[in-house]
Amino acid sequence: MHLRVTFVAAARSSSLLAERFEDDRPLDQAGWDEVQRAAPELGPLAAAELRYCSPTPRSRATGDALGYAPLAQPALRDCDMGRWRGFTLGEAMAREPSAVDAWLADPRSAPHGGESLTSFISRVGGWLDTRPADDGSRIVAVAEPSVVRAALVYALKAQPSTYWNIDVRPLSTITLTGINGRWNLRLEGVPQYA
């Protein structure tokens, strides 16, 4: 049985320039407002047999506000950024410019003491490949934009450096269809779960 996994990027908890690595902040007012505006379009995804989310406050709040009642999945957590956790990219660059350059240039590096980009992509891909096909064919997962990017890189079997070329906006959706290591990107308009 083929699966249909729709990722919904969590609403925002800060402006793009203020985003922090492994940000545990809840939705800000702008994020709540975005969820309310998107609810009519994204609400039908609640009909999915399985509903998951990243374990972050903003992912859970986004899923709850959309009526998904999602189950938090540790494998959908953001990349482990080690000692850079809580920093913006600019703050990490100011403290450790050569380490940030190495991290951006080599997807296998983890100069921050956390998880490399390749390990992060593999973890998210492992979660995707282990979804239970016999429990239902439709899945929705609310996740951090970084997790959605990692899922796309994994599903498309793209080079890890492709991760940096994917822009995932808050409340955007992508749908992957397939099963265990054989995924296709499906682009469509309004969700068809209703």
Side-chain angles (χ1 to χ4, degrees):
M1 172 183 283
H2 276 63
L3 298 174
R4 178 184 172 116
V5 181
T6 300
F7 285 91
V8 177
R12 64 182 162 158
S13 59
S14 63
S15 70
L16 185 59
L17 292 177
E19 282 190 13
R20 299 185 172 279
F21 294 128
E22 294 186 84
D23 194 352
D24 283 340
R25 289 181 286 177
L27 294 179
D28 63 10
Q29 188 58 51
W32 280 110
D33 294 344
E34 289 171 352
V35 171
Q36 296 308 309
R37 284 191 300 275
E41 183 178 329
L42 298 177
L45 291 170
E49 288 92 354
L50 299 171
R51 297 170 306 279
Y52 301 112
C53 68
S54 295
T56 60
R58 76 178 186 162
S59 291
R60 181 176 294 283
T62 299
D64 286 343
L66 292 171
Y68 300 168
L71 176 64
Q73 296 285 284
L76 292 180
R77 70 189 181 284
D78 209 343
C79 186
D80 177 357
M81 295 305 292
R83 69 179 172 276
W84 295 349
R85 184 175 197 262
F87 291 0
T88 64
L89 179 60
E91 290 168 346
M93 182 63 96
R95 288 179 170 90
E96 301 179 52
S98 60
V100 171
D101 287 342
W103 174 66
L104 292 172
D106 181 2
R108 296 169 310 225
S109 72
H112 44 65
E115 191 173 26
S116 71
L117 183 59
T118 54
S119 294
F120 174 50
I121 292 167
S122 292
R123 172 171 45 86
V124 173
W127 177 86
L128 189 60
D129 283 346
T130 57
R131 293 308 84 213
D134 55 346
D135 285 348
S137 61
R138 296 179 300 169
I139 297 171
V140 65
V142 180
E144 297 302 310
S146 60
V147 173
V148 177
R149 289 163 53 187
L152 275 170
V153 170
Y154 180 82
L156 297 175
K157 295 179 173 62
Q159 293 295 317
S161 60
T162 305
Y163 176 89
W164 303 116
N165 301 104
I166 300 171
D167 183 22
V168 177
R169 308 297 297 162
L171 297 170
S172 60
T173 64
I174 62 117
T175 299
L176 302 174
T177 60
I179 195 160
N180 194 6
R182 295 178 48 210
W183 296 98
N184 299 302
L185 174 61
R186 181 175 181 154
L187 299 176
E188 57 194 355
V190 178
Q192 302 297 311
Y193 286 151

